[in-house]
């Protein structure tokens, strides 16, 4: 069994006309055993940008906290909300930094651009 299948998860994101949607299950399990039914897997980064994670539960929490920290730094430096495209680059850099001891997560980013309100998945 792969480490990505250890806790199990399902994430889906979709784009509509001027909108996005992201959904996830709330189950936290260890193989076939259910540990919790209220584990958060979707995290708001701004009012219009959300990130969903699958993978190892401890890495989901770690990466979401590190990403939120970087989003807050971006807002302090740039005096504006981060766009989903920029957040994708930040996420890519965060995951690449740990390429030799990787985070076992697979992120899905969905949101609306803060200026144009164009949907992004």
């Amino acid at each position: 069994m792969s480490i990505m299948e250890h806790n199990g998860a399902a994430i889906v994101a979709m784009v509509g006309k001027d909108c996005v949607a992201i959904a996830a299950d709330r189950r936290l399990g260890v193989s076939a055993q259910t540990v919790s039914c209220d584990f958060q897997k979707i995290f708001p980064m701004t009012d219009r940008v959300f990130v969903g994670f699958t993978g190892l539960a401890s890495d989901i929490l770690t990466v979401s906290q590190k990403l939120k920290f970087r989003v807050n730094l971006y807002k302090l430096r740039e005096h504006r909300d981060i766009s989903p495209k920029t957040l994708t680059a930040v996420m890519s850099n965060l995951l690449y930094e740990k390429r030799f001891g990787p985070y076992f997560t697979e992120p899905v980013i969905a949101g609306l651009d803060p200026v144009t309100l164009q949907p992004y998945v």
Side-chain angles (χ1 to χ4, degrees):
M1 175 173 52
S2 168
I3 191 72
M4 296 297 284
E5 299 169 1
H6 186 68
N7 291 126
I11 301 279
V12 64
M14 55 195 132
V15 175
K17 185 177 187 263
D18 300 330
C19 63
V20 295
I22 186 169
D25 66 330
R26 306 256 321 167
R27 179 186 176 274
L28 173 63
V30 178
S31 298
Q33 182 182 13
T34 298
V35 175
S36 174
C37 290
D38 62 350
F39 185 72
Q40 184 177 3
K41 295 178 186 172
I42 298 175
F43 300 89
M45 294 296 131
T46 67
D47 291 338
R48 294 189 176 114
V49 180
F50 297 87
V51 180
F53 292 98
T54 63
L56 197 60
S58 59
D59 287 349
I60 288 173
L61 297 175
T62 301
V63 172
S64 67
Q65 289 171 357
K66 286 180 178 270
L67 191 62
K68 186 64 176 176
F69 176 76
R70 290 186 184 196
V71 167
N72 288 340
L73 277 179
Y74 181 90
K75 189 167 186 169
L76 285 173
R77 288 182 186 156
E78 300 292 327
H79 303 290
R80 60 190 166 111
D81 284 336
I82 195 167
S83 71
K85 191 170 185 177
T86 306
L87 183 63
T88 303
V90 171
M91 174 69 77
S92 177
N93 289 332
L94 177 66
L95 295 175
Y96 186 75
E97 287 174 2
K98 289 292 211 170
R99 66 190 176 275
F100 298 118
Y103 292 118
F104 295 106
T105 62
E106 295 174 343
V108 175
I109 298 173
L112 299 174
D113 188 275
V115 177
T116 64
L117 297 180
Q118 289 293 323
Y120 180 90
V121 172

